[in-house]
Amino acid sequence: MNENLTNNIVCSNCGTSNVVNAKFCIKCGTSLQPQSVNENQDTNVDYNIEIKSVNDEQNINSENPNNFQQPIQQQNYNNMNNTYNSQSTNIVGSLNYFSYILGALLKPFDKFKSEENKLNEIKNVSILALIVVGAMTIIRLITTMISAVRVTSFWSNEVKWVWDNLKEVHYFKVIGQSLLIYAGILVTVAGVHFLANLVIKKDAKFVKLLGATTTAFIPFAICSSILSPLFSMIYTPLGICVTVIGLIYSLIILLELINELINIEDANVRIYFHLICLSIIFIGGGLVAYKLILGSLTSSLGSLGSLFS
């Protein structure tokens, strides 16, 4: 009997003794299952695990104190790297000029758009224009020298090479005139469009307009200075056709690039804009050319008159 009392379960609520296998107290109905003990044990286990993880982390950090600094150093490195990358993207590199000239002949619009950021720099545009103008000046000097030494008989079409005629070539005059003419064409075309751009209150830059003008001038320069003389050796009218095709090609490129830089929504206004600009360019250029040709003829007639005096 005493053994049974010893094995009985005492209710924690009212103190009543219950049999060993009882689930609820026979007096107050309180659950006799050791749930609270299990919950306390689970809580203690979780708490112990958490304390252990904290202690392990502290031990690791105490063994290697640089672990605290590594995330900070990595963040600083990333910030510096991002800053460098953002600055490097703002730095505009130099233009691959010869590749650009070839691209301007084959795919002018795509080449201009791909290098548009570089053409914002006055240095890149100036060097590009200088290369184009310089190449045409050299070609004109060479053709002038060839024309001087290559003498064709009017009666028999016999060709003679008179090398002494090279002494009569005014080299500095040819170079100076060529530089002024070709550079003047580029600056005039870009300047007229820039002034018209200011009138209609657009925000196109002169440097970029000069880059577009130089890009459009490249096909005409190649056709008139290189291809036309070669085709003229085969058939003279063929060389003239090549020059005309080069001029038309350059005008089309110029209009496309100007439309890209100076965005005019109204198509009628855009037509009048190009009409006014091209009229000023061609009329002004025609007058200048007329004055130069007239002056050249006057000087030639004066030389002929001195021969008979």
Side-chain angles (χ1 to χ4, degrees):
M1 184 72 177
N2 293 331
E3 184 178 356
N4 293 332
L5 292 173
T6 303
N7 294 330
N8 288 346
I9 299 175
V10 179
C11 178
S12 61
N13 185 32
C14 63
T16 303
S17 178
N18 296 277
V19 296
V20 176
N21 295 327
K23 295 183 179 180
F24 299 98
C25 179
I26 59 176
K27 184 177 181 180
C28 64
T30 302
S31 176
L32 300 177
Q33 298 297 323
Q35 295 178 354
S36 60
V37 176
N38 293 334
E39 291 176 357
N40 291 332
Q41 289 179 352
D42 293 339
T43 304
N44 291 333
V45 170
D46 294 337
Y47 179 73
N48 291 332
I49 292 173
E50 183 178 359
I51 292 177
K52 182 178 179 180
S53 63
V54 173
N55 292 332
D56 292 340
E57 184 177 358
Q58 290 178 351
N59 291 331
I60 293 173
N61 291 330
S62 63
E63 292 176 359
N64 188 8
N66 293 327
N67 288 337
F68 284 116
Q69 299 178 357
Q70 288 178 355
I72 299 175
Q73 292 176 352
Q74 184 67 27
Q75 183 178 2
N76 293 333
Y77 175 77
N78 292 333
N79 293 333
M80 292 175 62
N81 193 21
N82 293 332
T83 303
Y84 175 77
N85 290 332
S86 62
Q87 292 177 352
S88 61
T89 54
N90 293 328
I91 298 175
V92 179
S94 60
L95 191 67
N96 190 346
Y97 301 102
F98 296 101
S99 174
Y100 186 83
I101 291 173
L102 180 61
L105 180 64
L106 301 177
K107 293 183 178 181
F109 187 83
D110 293 341
K111 196 64 177 178
F112 179 82
K113 291 298 294 182
S114 63
E115 303 291 349
E116 188 173 1
N117 291 331
K118 295 180 181 179
L119 293 175
N120 282 326
E121 295 292 326
I122 183 63
K123 176 183 176 182
N124 292 332
V125 176
S126 299
I127 295 176
L128 178 63
L130 183 62
I131 291 174
V132 175
V133 171
M136 291 199 68
T137 301
I138 294 173
I139 293 173
R140 186 186 177 190
L141 179 63
I142 294 173
T143 56
T144 302
M145 294 169 62
I146 294 174
S147 299
V149 300
R150 187 175 183 273
V151 179
T152 304
S153 175
F154 180 77
W155 303 106
S156 61
N157 291 328
E158 182 182 358
V159 178
K160 295 181 180 180
W161 296 89
V162 184
W163 298 102
D164 292 336
N165 291 343
L166 291 176
K167 299 177 182 179
E168 300 178 1
V169 177
H170 301 284
Y171 297 98
F172 291 104
K173 182 180 180 181
V174 173
I175 294 173
Q177 285 182 348
S178 300
L179 290 175
L180 289 176
I181 291 172
Y182 299 133
I185 291 174
L186 297 180
V187 174
T188 301
V189 173
V192 169
H193 285 91
F194 179 70
L195 294 176
N197 159 75
L198 295 178
V199 171
I200 62 176
K201 298 180 180 180
K202 297 293 181 179
D203 57 352
K205 297 180 179 179
F206 176 77
V207 174
K208 189 172 286 188
L209 289 172
L210 182 60
T213 303
T214 306
T215 303
F217 187 71
I218 289 173
F220 174 73
I222 295 176
C223 290
S224 62
S225 300
I226 300 176
L227 299 180
S228 180
L230 294 177
F231 283 100
S232 295
M233 295 179 181
I234 302 173
Y235 185 55
T236 302
L238 188 60
I240 298 174
C241 292
V242 171
T243 302
V244 174
I245 292 172
L247 177 61
I248 296 173
Y249 187 27
S250 292
L251 286 176
I252 295 173
I253 296 172
L254 179 64
L255 294 179
E256 288 293 332
L257 296 182
I258 294 300
N259 287 336
E260 181 68 19
L261 296 178
I262 304 176
N263 186 14
I264 303 175
E265 293 79 8
D266 192 338
N268 293 318
V269 176
R270 188 163 59 245
I271 291 173
Y272 293 133
F273 176 83
H274 290 302
L275 175 63
I276 294 172
C277 291
L278 293 179
S279 298
I280 293 173
I281 293 169
F282 279 98
I283 293 173
L287 291 175
V288 173
Y290 174 77
K291 292 290 185 181
L292 292 176
I293 294 173
L294 185 61
S296 178
L297 290 175
T298 303
S299 60
S300 299
L301 292 175
S303 301
L304 289 174
S306 63
L307 294 176
F308 296 98
S309 60

